[in-house]
């Protein structure tokens, strides 16, 4: 992989000096997005490397933004998450991808969600083993950190296509799955362990399958179910002992503000539990179909789509006076910290001005509906999309302000 170039007058992370040259491997990523012509990729470098001012790691993602005509929504979401102080934020860079000397498109380079000191900073399994003396020692369930993702796709066949079949957990044996612990399932085809939380499905991403034992699965299952039960009971004292409410509030505000399609605990909703810690929501992830860029989620632009979603997590949370007070407090801070968001988005658009031209020469879809885009496209040029995003978020700020004041 070659990383270099850029204009430092336009791009603060441009590499005008020596480039980065490092071997590695690449593979495709995404569900529905993998079916597009312009695709996203996962990169694993052979050695940990600092890339465009982001701390050293082997693990990265290149996101195509094919459905997002601004090419900016994932970048904007990362900026907002960092600005409002969400604990775990995957840093992003707007980049041009060249493949074998051919321009391949304008992409977003993003830190892959991994347990690392500068990413999701919780106790990794290998660190827990080392702390216990190394070798073949197996940590107790409460001695490792857990990275989880709400992901409905584990219960879908042909996920990401127009022919999705919803699976029946009662037929787990016929799918070739196995049972793990009290109530979890393991799918060997996808190498995923998962269990139901109310009407939603939660996968255990870390510890990985090779290190995850039945006792760990039962441990995290009990922790999540216990918190969920107190949330449904609207018992703030007990819920707040088990969940970091501040992280839930900040995560909610980002997702609701961006009107993100998958935010109702459907997919790309990450949660963590560290040793001696509480359940936390974050990092945020996957915003292609956000901010008015989806033809099937909250098309009426309600400011309370996530609050009123079928998942029920945030309606229950904010019906508790203590959480509601924190929401109003954090919203005021959110408004103040993102007061110059319009200027920031405009500057992002300026930075990709030349890149987007090349992108839409390479991928002639600027006025063509892709994926979940609305079929009626009135925009005729890139700047139309840019100003439309700015206008959408400005109006959403006003609508959310009125909603949060009322609840």
């Amino acid at each position: 992989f070659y990383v270099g170039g850029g204009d430092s007058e336009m791009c603060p992370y441009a590499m005008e000096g020596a480039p980065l040259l490092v071997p590695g491997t690449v593979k495709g990523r995404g569900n529905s997005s993998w079916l597009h012509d312009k695709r996203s990729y996962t990169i694993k470098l052979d050695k940990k490397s600092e890339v465009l001012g982001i701390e050293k790691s082997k693990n990265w993602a290149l996101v195509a933004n094919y459905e997002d005509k601004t090419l900016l929504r994932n970048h904007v979401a990362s900026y907002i998450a960092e600005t409002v102080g969400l604990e775990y934020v995957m840093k992003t860079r707007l980049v041009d991808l060249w493949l074998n000397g051919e321009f391949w498109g304008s992409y977003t380079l993003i830190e892959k969600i991994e347990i690392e000191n500068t990413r999701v900073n919780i106790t990794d399994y290998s660190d827990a083993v080392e702390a216990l003396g190394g070798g073949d020692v197996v940590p107790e369930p409460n001695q490792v950190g857990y990275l989880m993702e709400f992901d409905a796709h584990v219960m879908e066949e042909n996920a990401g296509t127009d022919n999705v079949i919803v699976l029946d957990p009662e037929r787990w044996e016929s799918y070739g799955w196995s049972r793990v612990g009290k109530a979890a399932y393991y799918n060997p085809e996808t190498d995923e362990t998962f269990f139901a939380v109310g009407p939603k499905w939660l996968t255990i991403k870390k510890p990985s399958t090779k290190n995850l034992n039945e006792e760990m699965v039962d441990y995290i299952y009990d922790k999540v179910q216990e918190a969920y039960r107190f949330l449904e009971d609207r018992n703030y004292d007990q819920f707040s002992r088990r969940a970091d409410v501040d992280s839930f509030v900040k995560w909610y505000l980002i997702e609701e503000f961006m009107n993100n399609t998958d935010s109702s605990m459907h997919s790309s909703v990450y949660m963590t539990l560290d040793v001696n810690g509480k359940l936390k929501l974050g990092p945020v992830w996957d915003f292609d179909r956000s901010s008015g860029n989806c033809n099937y989620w909250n098309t009426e632009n309600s400011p309370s789509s996530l609050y009123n979603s079928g998942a029920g997590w945030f309606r229950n949370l904010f019906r508790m006076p203590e959480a509601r007070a924190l929401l109003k407090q954090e919203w005021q801070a959110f408004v103040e910290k993102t007061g110059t968001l319009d200027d920031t988005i405009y500057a992002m658009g300026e930075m990709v001005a030349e890149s987007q031209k090349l992108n839409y020469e390479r991928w002639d879809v600027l006025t063509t509906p892709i994926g979940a885009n609305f079929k009626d496209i009135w925009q005729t040029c890139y700047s139309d999309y840019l100003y439309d995003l700015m206008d959408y978020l400005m109006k959403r700020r006003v609508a959310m302000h009125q909603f949060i004041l009322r609840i």
Side-chain angles (χ1 to χ4, degrees):
F1 294 94
Y2 171 102
V3 183
D7 181 353
S8 59
E9 291 187 5
M10 291 295 295
C11 176
Y13 48 84
M15 294 181 64
E16 294 184 331
L20 170 68
L21 288 168
V22 59
T25 56
V26 62
K27 67 177 183 178
R29 62 174 294 112
N31 291 301
S32 58
S33 62
W34 183 245
L35 303 177
H36 295 327
D37 293 332
K38 183 187 178 192
R39 295 172 173 176
S40 299
Y41 304 98
T42 296
I43 294 172
K44 190 173 186 68
L45 303 178
D46 286 358
K47 66 175 183 178
K48 290 186 176 182
S49 303
E50 179 183 310
V51 179
L52 300 176
I54 302 178
E55 292 86 350
K56 288 184 177 182
S57 178
K58 292 183 177 182
N59 303 294
W60 307 85
L62 276 170
V63 178
N65 303 311
Y66 196 51
E67 293 187 31
D68 175 14
K69 302 296 198 291
T70 71
L71 308 167
L72 296 176
R73 281 174 169 82
N74 284 299
H75 195 52
V76 170
S78 177
Y79 165 79
I80 293 174
E82 189 168 12
T83 300
V84 302
L86 195 66
E87 185 170 1
Y88 305 133
V89 180
M90 299 301 101
K91 300 181 185 69
T92 58
R93 297 289 187 263
L94 302 171
V95 299
D96 291 337
L97 176 63
W98 293 77
L99 182 62
N100 298 326
E102 180 183 358
F103 180 79
W104 207 251
S106 183
Y107 276 72
T108 299
L109 176 74
I110 185 167
E111 294 181 300
K112 191 168 177 282
I113 297 176
E114 296 284 354
I115 298 178
E116 297 179 9
N117 290 342
T118 59
R119 296 190 181 180
V120 178
N121 189 16
I122 61 176
T123 307
D124 186 57
Y125 183 91
S126 60
D127 292 335
V129 170
E130 187 177 338
L132 293 169
D136 296 328
V137 65
V138 177
E140 293 296 319
N142 64 352
Q143 293 177 317
V144 300
Y146 296 84
L147 172 64
M148 299 158 281
E149 179 193 2
F150 284 93
D151 187 3
H153 299 309
V154 298
M155 294 303 297
E156 294 176 350
E157 190 176 294
N158 306 322
T161 73
D162 294 331
N163 302 307
V164 174
I165 300 171
V166 178
L167 303 178
D168 178 2
E170 296 296 323
R171 299 181 57 200
W172 59 273
E173 285 181 293
S174 68
Y175 304 140
W177 300 352
S178 56
R179 293 298 300 266
V180 184
K182 298 175 181 177
Y185 303 89
Y186 173 69
N187 182 345
E189 185 177 343
T190 60
D191 194 28
E192 291 176 308
T193 301
F194 50 93
F195 55 84
V197 184
K200 302 296 182 177
W201 290 91
L202 187 66
T203 64
I204 304 172
K205 311 295 284 186
K206 299 289 181 177
S208 59
T209 300
K210 69 177 181 179
N211 298 320
L212 186 67
N213 59 39
E214 190 169 294
E215 289 74 23
M216 291 174 183
V217 173
D218 281 346
Y219 173 81
I220 194 60
Y221 173 84
D222 287 341
K223 290 290 186 181
V224 173
Q225 299 295 348
E226 196 174 58
Y228 183 69
R229 184 174 72 251
F230 286 120
L231 178 66
E232 285 197 305
D233 292 344
R234 298 177 193 164
N235 185 329
Y236 184 82
D237 178 62
Q238 293 298 326
F239 178 71
S240 63
R241 292 184 186 186
R242 294 160 175 82
D244 184 313
V245 180
D246 183 70
S247 77
F248 275 67
V249 171
K250 287 177 177 173
W251 185 94
Y252 165 80
L253 286 174
I254 298 162
E255 297 279 341
E256 188 80 276
F257 179 66
M258 294 286 288
N259 192 22
N260 196 13
T261 307
D262 293 330
S263 57
S264 61
M265 276 48 190
H266 180 73
S267 69
S268 299
V269 175
Y270 287 88
M271 186 163 67
T272 61
L273 179 68
D274 200 8
V275 177
N276 299 322
K278 299 179 181 182
L279 292 168
K280 295 181 180 180
L281 279 183
V284 295
W285 190 260
D286 194 1
F287 285 78
D288 284 7
R289 296 180 176 181
S290 75
S291 311
N293 196 41
C294 181
N295 62 13
Y296 61 81
W297 169 260
N298 188 27
T299 55
E300 70 279 10
N301 293 327
S302 164
S304 57
S305 52
L306 177 53
Y307 176 88
N308 286 315
S309 70
W313 281 63
F314 297 99
R315 185 168 57 251
N316 283 325
L317 179 62
F318 297 132
R319 284 183 177 176
M320 294 185 270
E322 301 91 339
R324 193 162 60 246
L326 183 58
L327 172 68
K328 293 175 185 286
Q329 175 185 316
E330 286 295 334
W331 172 246
Q332 289 300 325
F334 183 102
V335 169
E336 292 170 11
K337 291 176 180 177
T338 60
T340 59
L341 184 60
D342 268 9
D343 293 338
T344 301
I345 294 175
Y346 183 80
M348 292 175 183
E350 286 284 286
M351 191 166 72
V352 299
E354 295 304 316
S355 178
Q356 63 85 13
K357 290 178 185 176
L358 293 172
N359 184 81
Y360 291 116
E361 288 174 10
R362 176 69 179 79
W363 307 101
D364 187 16
V365 296
L366 189 60
T367 57
T368 302
I370 300 294
N373 288 167
F374 287 96
K375 304 309 175 190
D376 248 354
I377 292 183
W378 61 266
Q379 298 92 338
T380 59
C381 62
Y382 178 80
S383 60
D384 284 344
Y385 289 103
L386 184 67
Y387 284 114
D388 189 41
L389 174 60
M390 293 162 61
D391 182 65
Y392 182 93
L393 293 178
M394 179 185 68
K395 290 176 179 175
R396 191 151 183 86
R397 179 193 300 266
V398 173
M400 274 188 66
H401 188 71
Q402 295 169 346
F403 165 68
I404 290 174
L405 287 179
R406 289 196 310 268
I407 64 172

